[in-house]
Amino acid sequence: MTGLRNVIFRDREIKNERLELTDKGALYFLSSNLTLKDCTIVLKVSARNLIIKDARFIGCTFEVKQELKNHQQWVYASLKGCRFKGSLSGCDFGHWPEYSTGAENGAIEDCDFSEARLDGCRFMGCEPRTLRFPKWPCFTILNPIQNASELRRATWPGSFGEVTVQELDRQPAPTAAVTLFAPAMARRHETTPDALRAVIEQFDCIVY
């Protein structure tokens, strides 16, 4: 990526600071041996402008000002007691060492997504009960691989059952939960959020 200015945070501990990662002309690295404690991190860049590798975040708040799409590099981060606000789609969090070298350091626990809007976000190799997921119109399928056969027995509206539910047990083995956004699912599968919710309400393995 030519013409971008590198902004590198590494080999240090930062406490109680506000980091504004908002310059579209910058490539931000949150990398080796970086620990952020009780910081506010403001994100307003695309996934390609944000590189995360071997960083620890403890008690931090992420304010996502521009929807962060398809950012799998959270699996290189250790997240504990953090809060997320804003929209994220296609992002993966947690412990997924098979993803790539360096991902063995990834982890997530005690994090709060209740003020976030998530769509197609996965939580890997973690205990979902320590996490707070966003409420409806988001909904979270817990242990999707184990619960796939039960979910397939339901009559889902539109093509949600034939497509999304059919794919649940094809998720990577560490997938502990997946969060979806009902309005986006309804558009994709030619149904309505209310029709989806009527079926979702039947399952204890779905949080909404």
Side-chain angles (χ1 to χ4, degrees):
M1 298 179 64
T2 59
L4 293 180
R5 175 175 57 92
N6 289 343
V7 180
I8 301 172
F9 298 89
R10 61 177 297 172
D11 299 319
R12 57 191 291 207
E13 182 174 295
I14 303 173
K15 292 182 178 180
N16 300 304
E17 289 193 21
R18 182 180 178 89
L19 279 64
E20 303 255 359
L21 311 186
T22 59
D23 183 355
K24 302 291 193 295
L27 188 60
Y28 293 100
F29 292 84
L30 305 175
S31 60
S32 304
N33 301 312
L34 173 70
T35 300
L36 275 68
K37 290 185 177 179
D38 302 316
C39 291
T40 296
I41 300 107
V42 180
L43 300 176
K44 197 177 180 181
V45 292
S46 65
R48 64 180 183 175
N49 292 70
L50 180 63
I51 310 299
I52 299 176
K53 200 78 176 272
D54 192 24
R56 298 174 67 228
F57 302 91
I58 303 168
C60 292
T61 297
F62 293 90
E63 297 182 359
V64 182
K65 301 295 188 182
Q66 167 187 313
E67 184 175 5
L68 189 62
K69 299 179 181 179
N70 301 319
H71 197 268
Q72 280 79 39
Q73 291 182 16
W74 293 110
V75 299
Y76 294 116
S78 173
L79 299 155
K80 184 170 184 178
C82 295
R83 179 187 297 269
F84 285 78
K85 302 178 181 181
S87 297
L88 303 97
S89 59
C91 295
D92 294 332
F93 304 85
H95 186 64
W96 188 9
E98 299 85 1
Y99 180 75
S100 180
T101 302
E104 65 274 6
N105 299 314
I108 187 167
E109 63 176 311
D110 299 325
C111 289
D112 185 351
F113 292 85
S114 61
E115 295 178 71
R117 194 199 83 182
L118 306 181
D119 187 31
C121 293
R122 298 181 297 190
F123 298 86
M124 317 299 286
C126 64
E127 176 46 72
R129 287 177 295 184
T130 75
L131 307 177
R132 289 186 66 192
F133 295 107
K135 299 296 187 184
W136 186 262
C138 293
F139 61 98
T140 302
I141 301 172
L142 304 177
N143 299 311
I145 299 171
Q146 296 90 322
N147 289 310
S149 59
E150 180 187 2
L151 293 170
R152 277 199 288 266
R153 288 196 289 269
T155 301
W156 294 92
S159 59
F160 185 82
E162 291 83 3
V163 180
T164 297
V165 174
Q166 287 293 331
E167 294 173 352
L168 288 177
D169 55 7
R170 299 175 199 153
Q171 296 291 333
T175 307
V178 57
T179 301
L180 303 169
F181 184 53
M185 290 291 103
R187 286 192 299 272
R188 187 178 307 166
H189 297 296
E190 299 182 332
T191 183
T192 66
D194 287 344
L196 283 170
R197 180 164 179 160
V199 185
I200 287 167
E201 290 174 344
Q202 301 173 24
F203 293 97
D204 293 336
C205 62
I206 303 180
V207 178
Y208 58 95

